[in-house]
Amino acid sequence: MADNEVCAGCLRDNEEEIAVLWCNDCEEPVCRPCGKAHRRFAIPHDVIDIKDISNVSKTMSKICKEHAGQKLIFFCVYHDKILCPACLSELHKECDINHIEKAANGIKDSSAIHDLKERIHNQKGVIKKVKEEYHELSSKIGEDKEQQQERLIQLRSTIEDRLNLLDKNIETHYKQGVEKISSNTEQLESLAQTTQANLQDIEKADTEESEVNLFHLVKRLDTSQLSDEENLQFLENDISNMSLEFIPENYIEKVDAILNELGKDAQTTSFKSQQSGTKTRQSQLRLHLDEQQILDQTRIFHAGECTKFYACCFSDDNKVGVIEKQSVIDDHSSLFSFTIESIYLRIINLKDCKSRAFKLDRKYNSICKDTICWFDRNNILIVQDDSVHVIDLELEDIFRTIKVIHFNGRSSIWPVTCKWVTCIESQILVFCDGKWISWIDYNGKSVKRVEFEEDVNDLDIFGDKIYCSLRNVHEIKYTTFTNYTQTCYTSLDLRKSCRIAAGDNMIFLMEKERNTIYRIDLKTKQRSTFHKDEITNPTHIHFNNKTKELAVTFDEGNSLKIFSV
């Protein structure tokens, strides 16, 4: 603190007295008489020696900016915000609230302060590097004038040549475009007629024909439909490939914008050393908690019309299984309309990116759409209520149903609700009631059971550990098959109820609200972030430790991407 600090209270009365005390409640320096008065308030203020207050505490306001005089004493976990009593009563009545002292407990040992220090330290390095490059740019700015003028002459000549060429070719390109559109339109008309005929055939056969005839028709139409879809895709893509070379109406604005961009590029390319700029950009990436790891996009798949992707999982032969739900509004009735929902299972072959889907019986519409697991290459597991269903991919139907039973005491049976399923070799592991995992064999016989100490939101298994994200704690824990529980990662800024995928010495956490996927190195406890604008509203993740690929369903289930990690 400065030696000549002046009492804030006296200063408001046009007097100057040296401050020797500090009022923590008012957050201002006070002289000894004023400090005595502050201690005698109806609710005594916390007044300490001014030498005991740090510069950080002096400049860090603990008074609410929105509600004058109200102290910030609460922390909203959901909104990640410090609140005063007025904030709490106005906007946060239904939120998870902690007192500031409870929220701050353990902050010195958490990764949050380590991450923040790293970000500040890295920012110092970036600032230093940028200042050096600005200095370098300043010394080189006058060296390029003659070179830029020569390039400007070349650019002007190039533009003139291009405009002359456009003038000669515009009629030719126009005629070619019209002819191509005419030809493609004829093909679209033919496709429309074929599609309408196929739709009529399948709707009529669905109600009038025998199953054998219907099967023949489905197989014939499926082949025809595949060919038509490929033709339609070609015609659809051909639209974007068509272009006419002409001068647009807003060419002045576009050329001006291009020249502005060229000006920016000219400044950038005036550097002799590009390596320093690269290092700067690398340093900037580390401003996000830790070094930002970019997951390389490999493949993307889109759900069909009125269809959404839900849980997905990898097989050991480079396939992905995905649960789909189709919702179609039936408004044939003049009085009412209602939504018809159907559940499909889609199998995507990542080798050739081809897929097939088949519809499950309507009685399975209430399956848990948040979990799916390959049992072997020909069978997939899903859960519904108190049962595990085994789907035969060759028969394209439920082949077997296994009941999950929980015994209470010697003879009583509790009803259970299955929330998640996976398998280890021939044994099936089922997560039940948000509290425990039941090991069962293929006949439904119970092998063993693992209990969880807290309410689990999501889980994944790697090796002999069950990694769990919890509903009400900013921690990730694992429980071994022998019921030993250990915290493996904690961070105060980690949102609750995130989805989890586990791999070798690493886990992935998905926070839907932040459109973010975190990668946690379990050895170093370091967290890296993958956060891109095109990954919005993610819903499910699954990691293939064998191929090091991460599957992400996003855009509220409208898309699926496969990333190489």
Side-chain angles (χ1 to χ4, degrees), residues 28-45:
E28 61 183 25
V30 294
C31 63
R32 195 169 300 282
C34 288
K36 193 173 183 180
H38 281 232
R39 291 192 180 101
R40 292 179 176 179
F41 288 162
I43 300 178
H45 285 195

Side-chain angles (χ1 to χ4, degrees), residues 405-414:
I405 300 174
H406 172 56
F407 289 97
N408 177 24
R410 295 183 177 179
S411 59
S412 300
I413 299 177
W414 280 359

Side-chain angles (χ1 to χ4, degrees), residues 280-313:
T280 301
R281 290 189 291 273
Q282 292 172 347
S283 298
Q284 290 171 340
L285 289 176
R286 290 194 289 271
L287 293 180
H288 296 281
L289 297 179
D290 189 53
E291 183 175 0
Q292 188 175 24
Q293 301 288 333
I294 303 300
L295 308 184
D296 297 325
Q297 176 186 335
T298 55
R299 282 148 289 189
I300 181 169
F301 305 90
H302 298 289
E305 185 177 359
C306 304
T307 303
K308 289 187 180 298
F309 293 139
Y310 284 83
C312 58
C313 64

Side-chain angles (χ1 to χ4, degrees), residues 78-110:
Y78 181 79
H79 292 97
D80 194 20
K81 186 177 181 181
I82 300 177
L83 314 171
C84 73
C87 294
L88 177 61
S89 62
E90 289 179 2
L91 300 173
H92 301 269
K93 292 181 180 179
E94 305 298 327
C95 296
D96 185 3
I97 303 297
N98 285 333
H99 195 277
I100 190 68
E101 293 182 356
K102 181 179 178 181
N105 186 28
I107 182 67
K108 292 185 177 180
D109 298 325
S110 73

